Amino acid sequence: MPKYAIITGGAGFIGSHLVDRLLDEGDWQVVVIDNFHPGYPRAIKESNLARHRDDPRLRLVEGDILDDATLDTAFYGVDPRKAVVVHLAALVGVRPSMAMAREYHRVNVTGTLHLLEQARARQAAHFVLASSSSVYGKEPAVPWREDMERLEPVSPYAATKLAAEEFTRVYARLHGLDATVLRFFTVFGPRQRPDLAIHAFFRKIGRAEPIQQFGAGLTSRDYTYVADIVDGVRRAMDRPMVRKPGQGSFEIFNLGHSEPIVLKDLIAAIERECGQQAVVEVLPDQPGDVPHTYADVEKARKQLGYEPSTSLGAGLRAFVDWFREHEEIFQPVERDTPTG
Ligand code: NAD
């Protein structure tokens, strides 16, 4: 009996790893919706899915989540009652969202609403939303827990993620949709987006270009390896549903590593991996950046059996192996951002 997964943003970094995982499991029919947004080179996204090019269990629908005809095509031939929608497509990155707030809102909030409508109307079995640690803003009390009440995002990107979460909650309450929100903490590993710190630092150190350090280098991020994130997504897709009368099941989970790394230590670890010293250009703190991210993952551990296990060193080595194999397809990408 096939199970169906509709993965938006499935050609991207995290989405393509989820595609690998589901097709390796064997009993999934996978539909990817992706518009190959030009935020970074198309060739990277094509190479992310290349190994499944001839697999009849994967269907790629190239199009925009805001386009209803694209969504109709994606659902064609899918039994929605056996379908999980994993919604990963988004405009990503904190810093570019400052100048493009309306476009971020259109894709991340209105786009999510389009998918929620489809999932509700077709009675999809489960809707899983990729959210972000950025919804916690500059909350000083760490580690961050899902039941913290006063969430104050500090960038348009973070605000769109929180708004998408709230629409998902409303659809669960109002329309009985079973839904799960996953707050990812800075994800790294093979295929990482070129704008994210680890990828940008490797690329630049390798070319003897200066890397940009915003602030004194004392900010920290809860770097989480992509296979651990995908394992958390997989477990969330299968989670048991506890429903209130007339409502769908709704839960929020942090997916992080719970071991924040200070920026200076990250740079030192990358220098060790590269065997080269970084030339560091120190710039002022950026508006929209947060000083720390730190996940409490007890809820995911207890309810999903989530157990992140990949160390920073092992994850960096896997990234380097992938990077060296694919180096020729990277164009210089100067749009760097520390969270996403
Ligand atoms: P990514 O950019 O590699 O993947 C997103 C994909 O969505 C891309 O392939 C892009 O082409 C596609 N897309 C964008 N707009 C679209 C549209 N309108 N219609 C169809 N497809 C569209 O990013 P990623 O790092 O894999 O992030 C995946 C999700 O995880 C995003 O929702 C992001 O906000 C969230 N997230 C990522 C991180 C991280 O560290 N990478 C952290 C927190 C949250």
Side-chain angles (χ1 to χ4, degrees):
M1 192 72 84
K3 299 182 278 187
Y4 299 90
I6 296 186
I7 307 178
T8 74
F13 164 38
I14 300 169
S16 63
H17 281 282
L18 180 61
V19 171
D20 290 351
R21 168 80 188 253
L22 294 177
L23 292 177
D24 287 345
E25 282 181 24
D27 49 355
W28 289 90
Q29 296 284 332
V30 177
V31 181
V32 162
I33 308 174
D34 202 298
N35 70 348
F36 292 83
H37 185 273
Y40 64 92
R42 180 183 179 103
I44 299 179
K45 296 178 191 177
E46 283 177 350
S47 94
N48 289 347
L49 291 178
R51 92 170 159 95
H52 306 296
R53 196 174 289 136
D54 300 320
D55 190 331
R57 296 169 305 154
L58 172 66
R59 190 155 58 87
L60 170 63
V61 179
E62 183 168 346
D64 197 310
I65 53 165
L66 285 140
D67 174 33
D68 286 329
T70 296
L71 301 186
D72 287 342
T73 307
F75 273 95
Y76 182 78
V78 169
D79 180 348
R81 287 155 306 167
K82 293 189 197 122
V84 185
V85 177
V86 185
H87 178 32
L88 298 160
L91 291 188
V92 290
V94 169
R95 288 181 201 138
S97 75
M98 305 287 169
M100 296 167 59
R102 278 185 299 183
E103 186 57 10
Y104 269 65
H105 181 271
R106 201 176 73 84
V107 175
N108 296 0
V109 185
T110 311
T112 298
L113 261 173
H114 275 240
L115 282 152
L116 284 167
E117 270 301 314
Q118 289 274 347
R120 171 191 78 85
R122 295 173 190 269
Q123 298 183 303
H126 191 182
F127 184 88
V128 179
L129 173 74
S131 185
S132 161
S133 59
S134 62
V135 300
Y136 292 103
K138 295 186 175 175
E139 172 60 56
V142 289
W144 293 337
R145 289 169 50 99
E146 297 86 343
D147 56 6
M148 284 175 154
E149 279 170 7
R150 204 171 26 86
L151 298 185
E152 293 179 14
V154 293
S155 69
Y157 167 74
T160 64
K161 286 286 167 187
L162 190 55
E165 286 191 2
E166 288 307 318
F167 273 113
T168 305
R169 186 198 302 273
V170 165
Y171 270 62
R173 284 220 178 115
L174 205 59
H175 301 301
L177 185 69
D178 286 332
T180 306
V181 167
L182 301 174
R183 292 178 179 158
F184 300 160
F185 284 64
T186 313
V187 189
F188 78 108
R191 304 180 192 161
Q192 194 197 37
R193 291 185 347 240
D195 60 298
L196 287 167
I198 290 175
H199 189 146
F201 289 173
F202 265 108
R203 202 174 59 242
K204 289 179 179 175
I205 294 172
R207 293 175 185 163
E209 290 171 14
I211 63 169
Q212 284 72 40
Q213 173 187 298
F214 297 99
L218 301 175
T219 56
S220 61
R221 292 286 175 273
D222 194 359
Y223 291 102
T224 310
Y225 189 64
V226 66
D228 289 326
I229 290 284
V230 166
D231 191 61
V233 175
R234 255 323 268 117
R235 290 169 180 277
M237 287 167 73
D238 285 349
R239 77 176 175 85
M241 299 296 165
V242 181
R243 303 181 183 93
K244 291 188 186 145
Q247 297 186 14
S249 174
F250 178 81
E251 293 292 345
I252 299 178
F253 296 97
N254 288 337
L255 295 182
H257 192 77
S258 228
E259 281 182 25
I261 310 281
V262 174
L263 182 56
K264 275 188 181 302
D265 296 340
L266 175 75
I267 294 172
I270 293 176
E271 287 176 326
R272 276 196 299 279
E273 282 308 318
C274 289
Q276 262 169 283
Q277 232 13 67
V279 180
V280 181
E281 186 184 354
V282 179
L283 297 169
D285 283 323
Q286 295 288 294
D289 283 357
V290 300
H292 308 289
T293 69
Y294 185 175
D296 182 318
V297 294
E298 272 316 297
K299 182 177 175 187
R301 195 172 267 143
K302 284 203 184 98
Q303 294 190 26
L304 305 177
Y306 170 71
E307 203 61 64
S309 60
T310 311
S311 67
L312 180 73
L316 287 179
R317 277 188 291 283
F319 173 82
V320 178
D321 289 346
W322 169 83
F323 182 75
R324 297 215 163 114
E325 229 175 276
H326 295 82
E327 205 158 358
E328 79 286 355
I329 62 177
F330 302 120
Q331 313 293 325
V333 179
E334 299 311 331
R335 221 193 61 178
D336 303 336
T337 180
T339 55

